[in-house]
Amino acid sequence: MKIVHVFKDFYPPLAAGITCYIADVADALAERGHEVEVHVAGVHQSRVERMASGVVVHRHRELGRALSMPIAPGLIREVRHLSADIVHTHMPNPIGEIGVFLNSSPLVCTFHAQLVRQRFLEPLYGRLRSRLFDQMAAILVSGEAMASTPELANHVGKVRVLPFGVSPRLVGSGAVHQHYTGPIRLLFVGRLVYYKGLDTLLRAMAMVPNATLRIVGDGPDRAALEALSAQLGLADRVEFSGFLYDRELALSYGAADVFVLPSNSKAESFGMAMSEAMANGLPAVSTSLGTGTDWVNLDEVTGLVVPPDSPPDLATAIGRLQDPELREALGIAASQRAHDLFSFDKHVDELVSVYQRCRQ
C-alpha cells in the first residue's frame, strides 16, 4: 500500500509524543514493505528527505505560526492532490486537514486531542472537523476517554480504540533501578510546555527533601522552569537534561525509580512517555484529567493518581513511593500492563488491518 501521514511537525527535529509516534509508525510500515510518505510543515524552504527506512518526508514551507498552527499553503496544495491507498491525518492540525478534506483517497484519522488553548476557535474549526469526520473511513483514538469526547458524538460508528505502542528502542533492561538504595529518583520526559504542569512538580519537590528529579526534554518554558528551580533552592536536586536520543532515553528510564507526569490540561490525552516508563518497570504518578492518562496509569495499581495543580497532593504521592516495597509492587504491575496493552508490534498490526479494511 501507499500510505501518507499528514501532520504539522515531524521527528527529527521536534521530539514530542505525536511526532515520535508518527516517525516510529512510518518506519515500521516501510519496513513491512509499504510505500510511506509524510507531509508536514516546519521549514523556511520546502524540501524532500528520504529516511534510512525508506520513508519519504515532504517538509513544506511555513510562513509562520498562529496559536501553534502553521501557516503553510503549500501543505494544503500538496496534500489536496495526493494519490494514495490511505491518507492518514493526525488531528488537531487545521491546515493539513483542509488539504485532507479536499483529497479523494480513502481517509483515516487519529484524533489525538481536543482543542484547549485554541478553544475559542471551536465554532469555526468544529465545522471543518465534523465535515472531515464525515469523510473518514475510520477514526482512531488512544483510549475510551477520547472515544467518549463530545467531538465524536455524531461519529461513534467509525471510532476505533487503538492504544499507542511503546517503541522497542525505548525499553531497556531496568537493571539499574533495581539495585539502587539512595534518595528516590524521579523522572519526567516530555516537552517543556504550559500543559505539562512542571511548575507544580518543582513546587512539590520543595516539599520532598529526600528526592532528586531529572527533567528530560526541551521547550519554550525551559528558562522559566530553570529560574523557578533556582528560586525554590532545588538546583542541587533537579537536573535539566534537555533532549536525549533513544539509547540515552532508555538508560534514563532504567536509572529512575518513579516517573511523574504532572500535566494540568486535557491537551495531555494519553501520556506516551508514561507508557514508555511503565514498560521499563517504573511506577507512575500522574494527574486526574479525565483523559487517557487515567486509563494508562491506574491509581493504586500501576502507580498513583492525584489532582492536577496541587503540589501538596503530588508531594504526598511521591513521599508514599519512597517505600521500596510499594514501589516494586506498582512497578511490576506497570510493566505487565504495558506488555499487555502497549505492544508496538501489535499496534502496527492492527493499524495495517484498519488500512486494509478502509481500502475495501
Side-chain angles (χ1 to χ4, degrees), residues 29 42 125 184 238 273 284 296 300 347:
L29 291 169
Y125 172 61
I184 187 171
V238 176
V296 173
E300 303 288 349
H347 176 89

Side-chain angles (χ1 to χ4, degrees), residues 194-200 262-265 287 289 306-314:
Y194 74 97
Y195 67 85
K196 293 295 185 179
L198 284 165
D199 57 330
T200 300
S263 302
N264 56 24
S265 162
T287 48
L289 301 172
V306 301
D309 294 319
S310 175
D313 285 310
L314 190 55

